[in-house]
Coordinates of all heavy atoms in Angstrom, one line a residue:
K164 N 0.8 -1.2 0.0 CA 0.0 0.0 0.0 C 0.9 1.3 0.0 O 2.0 1.3 0.6 CB -0.9 0.0 1.2 CG -2.1 -1.0 1.2 CD -3.0 -0.8 2.4 CE -4.2 -1.7 2.4 NZ -5.1 -1.4 3.5
A165 N 0.4 2.3 -0.6 CA 1.1 3.6 -0.6 C 0.6 4.4 0.5 O -0.6 4.3 1.0 CB 0.9 4.3 -2.0
T166 N 1.4 5.3 1.0 CA 1.0 6.2 2.0 C 0.8 7.6 1.4 O 1.7 8.2 0.9 CB 2.0 6.3 3.2 OG1 2.2 5.0 3.7 CG2 1.6 7.3 4.2
P167 N -0.5 8.1 1.5 CA -0.7 9.5 0.9 C 0.1 10.6 1.5 O 0.6 10.4 2.7 CB -2.2 9.7 1.2 CG -2.8 8.3 1.5 CD -1.6 7.6 2.2
T168 N 0.3 11.6 0.8 CA 1.0 12.8 1.3 C 0.0 13.8 1.9 O -1.0 14.1 1.2 CB 1.8 13.5 0.2 OG1 2.8 12.5 -0.3 CG2 2.6 14.7 0.8
L169 N 0.2 14.2 3.1 CA -0.6 15.3 3.7 C 0.1 16.6 3.7 O 1.3 16.7 4.2 CB -1.0 14.9 5.2 CG -2.3 14.1 5.4 CD1 -2.5 13.9 6.9 CD2 -3.5 14.8 4.8
T170 N -0.5 17.6 3.1 CA 0.1 18.9 3.0 C -0.6 19.8 4.0 O -1.8 19.9 3.9 CB 0.0 19.5 1.6 OG1 0.7 18.6 0.7 CG2 0.7 20.9 1.5
W171 N 0.1 20.4 4.9 CA -0.5 21.2 6.0 C 0.5 22.3 6.4 O 1.5 22.0 7.1 CB -0.9 20.4 7.2 CG -1.8 21.0 8.1 CD1 -2.5 22.2 8.0 CD2 -2.3 20.4 9.3 NE1 -3.3 22.4 9.1 CE2 -3.3 21.3 9.9 CE3 -2.1 19.1 9.9 CZ2 -3.9 21.0 11.1 CZ3 -2.7 18.9 11.1 CH2 -3.6 19.8 11.7
V172 N 0.3 23.5 5.9 CA 1.2 24.6 6.3 C 0.9 25.1 7.7 O -0.2 25.1 8.2 CB 1.0 25.8 5.3 CG1 1.8 27.0 5.6 CG2 1.2 25.3 3.8
T173 N 2.0 25.4 8.4 CA 1.9 25.9 9.8 C 1.0 27.1 9.8 O 1.3 28.1 9.1 CB 3.2 26.2 10.4 OG1 4.1 25.1 10.4 CG2 3.1 26.8 11.8
P174 N -0.1 27.1 10.5 CA -1.0 28.3 10.5 C -0.5 29.5 11.2 O 0.4 29.4 12.1 CB -2.3 27.7 11.2 CG -1.8 26.6 12.1 CD -0.6 26.0 11.4
S175 N -1.0 30.6 10.9 CA -0.6 31.9 11.5 C -1.1 31.9 13.0 O -2.1 31.2 13.3 CB -1.2 33.1 10.8 OG -0.8 33.1 9.5
A176 N -0.4 32.6 13.8 CA -0.8 32.7 15.2 C -2.2 33.3 15.4 O -2.6 34.1 14.6 CB 0.3 33.5 16.0
I177 N -2.8 32.9 16.5 CA -4.1 33.4 16.8 C -4.1 33.9 18.2 O -3.1 33.7 19.0 CB -5.3 32.4 16.6 CG1 -5.0 31.2 17.6 CG2 -5.4 31.9 15.2 CD1 -6.2 30.2 17.6
T178 N -5.2 34.6 18.6 CA -5.3 35.2 20.0 C -6.2 34.3 20.8 O -7.2 33.8 20.2 CB -5.8 36.6 20.0 OG1 -4.9 37.4 19.2 CG2 -5.9 37.2 21.3
Y179 N -5.9 34.1 22.1 CA -6.8 33.3 22.9 C -8.3 33.8 22.8 O -8.5 35.0 22.8 CB -6.4 33.4 24.4 CG -7.4 32.7 25.3 CD1 -7.5 31.4 25.4 CD2 -8.2 33.5 26.1 CE1 -8.4 30.8 26.2 CE2 -9.2 32.9 26.9 CZ -9.2 31.5 27.0 OH -10.1 30.9 27.8
G180 N -9.2 32.8 22.6 CA -10.6 33.2 22.5 C -11.0 32.9 21.0 O -12.2 32.9 20.8
T181 N -10.1 32.8 20.1 CA -10.4 32.5 18.7 C -10.6 31.0 18.5 O -9.7 30.2 18.8 CB -9.3 32.9 17.8 OG1 -9.0 34.3 18.0 CG2 -9.6 32.7 16.3
P182 N -11.9 30.6 18.1 CA -12.1 29.2 17.9 C -11.4 28.7 16.7 O -11.2 29.4 15.7 CB -13.6 29.1 17.8 CG -14.1 30.4 17.3 CD -13.1 31.4 17.9
L183 N -11.0 27.4 16.7 CA -10.4 26.8 15.5 C -11.4 26.7 14.4 O -12.6 26.5 14.6 CB -9.9 25.4 15.8 CG -8.7 25.3 16.8 CD1 -8.4 23.8 17.1 CD2 -7.5 26.0 16.3
S184 N -10.9 26.9 13.2 CA -11.8 26.9 12.0 C -11.0 26.4 10.8 O -9.9 25.9 11.0 CB -12.3 28.3 11.7 OG -11.2 29.1 11.3
A185 N -11.6 26.5 9.6 CA -10.9 26.0 8.4 C -9.7 26.8 8.1 O -8.9 26.4 7.3 CB -11.9 26.1 7.2
T186 N -9.5 28.0 8.8 CA -8.3 28.8 8.6 C -7.1 28.0 9.1 O -6.0 28.1 8.5 CB -8.5 30.1 9.3 OG1 -9.6 30.8 8.8 CG2 -7.3 31.0 9.0
Q187 N -7.3 27.3 10.2 CA -6.2 26.5 10.8 C -6.3 25.1 10.4 O -5.2 24.4 10.1 CB -6.2 26.6 12.3 CG -6.0 28.0 12.9 CD -7.2 28.8 12.9 OE1 -8.3 28.3 13.1 NE2 -7.1 30.1 12.7
L188 N -7.5 24.5 10.3 CA -7.7 23.1 10.0 C -7.9 22.9 8.5 O -9.0 22.7 8.0 CB -8.9 22.6 10.8 CG -8.8 22.9 12.3 CD1 -10.1 22.3 13.0 CD2 -7.5 22.3 12.9
N189 N -6.8 23.1 7.7 CA -6.9 23.1 6.3 C -5.9 22.2 5.6 O -5.4 22.5 4.5 CB -6.7 24.6 5.8 CG -5.4 25.2 6.2 OD1 -4.6 24.5 7.0 ND2 -5.0 26.3 5.7
A190 N -5.6 21.1 6.2 CA -4.7 20.1 5.6 C -5.4 19.5 4.3 O -6.6 19.5 4.2 CB -4.4 19.0 6.5
S191 N -4.6 19.0 3.4 CA -5.1 18.4 2.2 C -4.3 17.1 1.9 O -3.1 17.1 2.2 CB -5.0 19.4 1.0 OG -3.7 19.8 0.7
G192 N -5.0 16.1 1.3 CA -4.3 14.9 1.0 C -4.0 14.8 -0.5 O -4.6 15.5 -1.3

């Protein structure tokens, strides 16, 4: 079996109180 490549750029810093969203959770296979 092959192992897919996951691309996920380190997200920009956020301030406490900011909920996680697609801005941070944006990996792609």
Side-chain angles (χ1 to χ4, degrees):
K164 287 185 178 183
T166 299
T168 301
L169 269 182
T170 302
W171 196 3
V172 177
T173 300
S175 300
I177 60 174
T178 303
Y179 174 73
T181 303
L183 294 178
S184 68
T186 303
Q187 296 80 37
L188 309 179
N189 59 352
S191 60

